[in-house]
Amino acid sequence: ELKVEQNPLFLSMQEEKNYTIYCNYSTTSDRLYWYRQDPGKSLESLFVLLSNGAVKQEGRLMASLDTKARLSTLHITAAVHDLSATYFCAVDTATSGTYKYIFGTGTRLKVLA
Amino acid sequence: DTGVSQNPRHKITKRGQNVTFRCDPISEHNRLYWYRQTLGQGPEFLTYFQNEAQLEKSRLLSDRFSAERPKGSFSTLEIQRTEQGDSAMYLCASSSFNEKLFFGSGTQLSVL
């Protein structure tokens, strides 16, 4: 069964610092998704990574995918307070013939002023 | 607004009662998903539909839970004989073929 793990689970960082969140998954998949969730809110899509080596960037966030290593990273550059949220990665099961999305445990990010 | 709509936003019920939630997906999306999320956890897959067909249901899901999607449009999720452990945020999402999920705002269930 597909398992998705993220680390760290909690991340407290200073503004203007850089950091990386890691997402590992257990079975073959070519597609990985990153979402953001603010407290009490629903999930908002950030990135869709559809192939090995895919890299997407939006503002201070950059996501990449290595399907051979079954690893995705979300890199934060020069963090600002507005990035404080919980970040989830998700993997779909299309390669196994079904189309459900399995989410990681989430990384709760707090950017300190 | 053509996003995913869920009703009600909040539901408080007593243990043993039945509850039903509704989800209206983005109209052109053929897939609809239900997830459950508890505090500090990621969304947990419950079930999904492709058009009106329910294609998969989580093995962890109790028989007290049932979902329908008549005519491939809106969906309902019913929980019978609610228990305190059912308290959670119930999220609905929809997607087109092999694309990202679009989530609704969720229904927060509290079982007293």
Side-chain angles (χ1 to χ4, degrees), chain B residues 30-95:
Chain B
N30 61 336
R31 290 191 183 136
L32 185 148
Y33 296 78
W34 285 100
Y35 284 84
R36 176 171 61 191
Q37 187 179 27
T38 52
L39 199 62
Q41 300 296 315
E44 175 194 11
F45 171 79
L46 296 180
T47 188
Y48 88 97
F49 294 83
Q50 182 164 304
N51 301 313
E52 66 275 10
Q54 187 174 17
L55 295 189
E56 190 165 342
K57 185 176 176 180
S58 169
R59 287 172 292 173
L60 301 176
L61 204 58
S62 160
D63 289 344
R64 297 182 296 104
F65 288 70
S66 62
E68 293 182 342
R69 192 184 183 196
K71 303 178 183 177
S73 55
F74 72 91
S75 176
T76 57
L77 177 68
E78 181 183 18
I79 309 173
Q80 297 183 326
R81 304 181 303 282
T82 52
E83 301 173 356
Q84 288 186 325
D86 297 332
S87 296
M89 174 74 84
Y90 289 83
L91 295 165
C92 176
S94 68
S95 75

Side-chain angles (χ1 to χ4, degrees), chain A residues 1 31 33 35 37 40-43 45 48 88 94 97-105, chain B residues 31 33 35 37 40-43 45 48 50 56 59 91 95 98-101 103-105:
Chain A
E1 183 176 329
R31 293 198 291 250
Y33 310 80
Y35 288 84
Q37 187 175 36
K41 305 287 187 182
S42 192
L43 283 82
S45 175
V48 179
F88 293 97
T98 66
Y99 296 94
K100 62 185 181 185
Y101 298 71
I102 304 300
F103 283 79
T105 46
Chain B
R31 290 191 183 136
Y33 296 78
Y35 284 84
Q37 187 179 27
Q41 300 296 315
F45 171 79
Y48 88 97
Q50 182 164 304
E56 190 165 342
R59 287 172 292 173
L91 295 165
S95 75
N98 301 339
E99 298 210 351
K100 66 184 180 183
L101 295 177
F103 280 88
S105 298

